[in-house]
């Protein structure tokens, strides 16, 4: 945990965990699955909400490389089989080297409700990691939104928000904050009590260079989310 977060970072509401991540970050995907599972088990559904913020890795590192995400999927799949990680199986020319529009869509859904933002975020991650869908494309994003169970996302409102770009500036503001000491990387979780944590429950090292070697999970503990959820609930 770290204290005294950068004042540029937005406040976190009580009963909320602010999650800063990239949609193609497998560590964030695993962490969010652990968070949801622990929240349900602890009876905190409806009491602890998730506010999604963007940590757009491509604006730091350039286009997302397929080799990097494929090797990370193999490494992280070993500790969380329920993530259903798959290497990219669709055509190479459909690989989403950018997910900025998808990040914008999560902001737009979150403007409807934090619950809508959380469900669209999860659905987009599943669409990419398990089904090799090109979530960089507007129509794919809208299709995924329409498939959220229970009509949790207003697709017409989402379409209008994407078409006029009203949340594009939100992604860029998040990018600016992500470059400060307030955010340690993807995923970073922030809490109303002024603390934060980066990639909780997972320690990893790389064998060989990134995107050419492979990640080795040195230790992992899904139970780390129990204390974090209790912290948020207080």
């Amino acid at each position: 945990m770290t204290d005294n977060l950068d004042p540029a970072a937005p406040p976190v509401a009580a009963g909320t965990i602010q999650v800063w991540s990239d949609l193609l970050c497998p560590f964030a995907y695993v962490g969010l699955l652990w968070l949801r599972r622990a929240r349900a088990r602890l009876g905190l559904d409806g009491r602890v909400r998730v506010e999604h913020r963007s940590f757009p890795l491509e604006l730091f590192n350039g286009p997302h490389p397929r080799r990097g995400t494929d090797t990370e999927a193999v490494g992280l799949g070993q500790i969380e089989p329920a993530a259903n990680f798959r290497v990219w199986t669709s055509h190479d020319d459909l690989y989403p080297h950018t997910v900025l529009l998808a990040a914008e869509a999560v902001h737009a859904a979150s403007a409807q409700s934090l619950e809508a933002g959380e469900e669209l975020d999860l659905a987009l991650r599943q669409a990419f990691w398990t089904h090799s869908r090109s979530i960089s494309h507007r129509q794919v994003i809208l299709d995924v939104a329409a498939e959220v169970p229970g009509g949790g996302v207003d697709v017409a409102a989402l379409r209008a928000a994407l078409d006029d770009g009203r949340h594009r500036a939100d992604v860029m503001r998040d990018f600016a904050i992500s470059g400060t000491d307030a955010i340690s990387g993807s995923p970073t979780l922030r809490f109303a009590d002024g603390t934060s944590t980066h990639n909780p429950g997972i320690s990893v090292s790389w064998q060989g260079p990134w995107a050419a070697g492979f990640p080795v999970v040195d230790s992992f503990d899904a139970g780390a989310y129990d204390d974090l959820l209790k912290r948020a609930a207080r």
Side-chain angles (χ1 to χ4, degrees), residues 52-134:
H52 279 288
R53 294 283 183 150
S54 305
F55 190 100
L57 288 168
E58 65 195 77
L59 296 182
F60 290 102
N61 304 326
H64 285 282
R66 175 182 169 181
R67 287 179 297 123
T69 50
D70 277 357
T71 53
E72 287 185 329
V74 172
L76 272 291
Q78 298 176 58
I79 68 169
E80 184 46 66
N84 291 315
F85 281 115
R86 302 288 185 271
V87 297
W88 184 257
T89 57
S90 189
H91 296 295
D92 284 346
D93 54 2
L94 293 178
Y95 186 84
H97 295 289
T98 176
V99 288
L100 290 181
L101 187 63
E104 189 178 328
V106 173
H107 270 286
S110 296
Q112 298 177 21
S113 70
L114 291 186
E115 292 76 14
E118 183 178 354
E119 294 307 312
L120 180 58
D121 178 274
L122 176 65
L124 287 167
R125 293 179 198 270
Q126 291 172 330
F128 171 73
W129 285 112
T130 301
H131 303 291
S132 293
R133 296 171 72 176
S134 187

Side-chain angles (χ1 to χ4, degrees), residues 1-6 9 12 16-21 25 27-28 31-32 34-35 51 55 181-203 221-232:
M1 288 284 179
T2 59
D3 298 306
N4 302 319
L5 297 182
D6 191 295
V12 182
T16 301
I17 299 176
Q18 199 176 76
V19 178
W20 293 70
S21 69
C25 173
F27 300 96
L32 288 164
W34 288 353
L35 187 158
E51 178 191 357
F55 190 100
D181 291 339
I183 311 299
S184 301
S186 175
T188 292
L189 281 61
R190 300 183 63 241
F191 301 86
D193 66 0
T195 59
S196 72
T197 183
H198 173 238
N199 202 22
I202 301 178
S203 175
D221 177 19
Y225 280 83
D226 288 24
D227 288 340
L228 299 177
L229 283 156
K230 292 173 185 176
R231 176 187 295 269

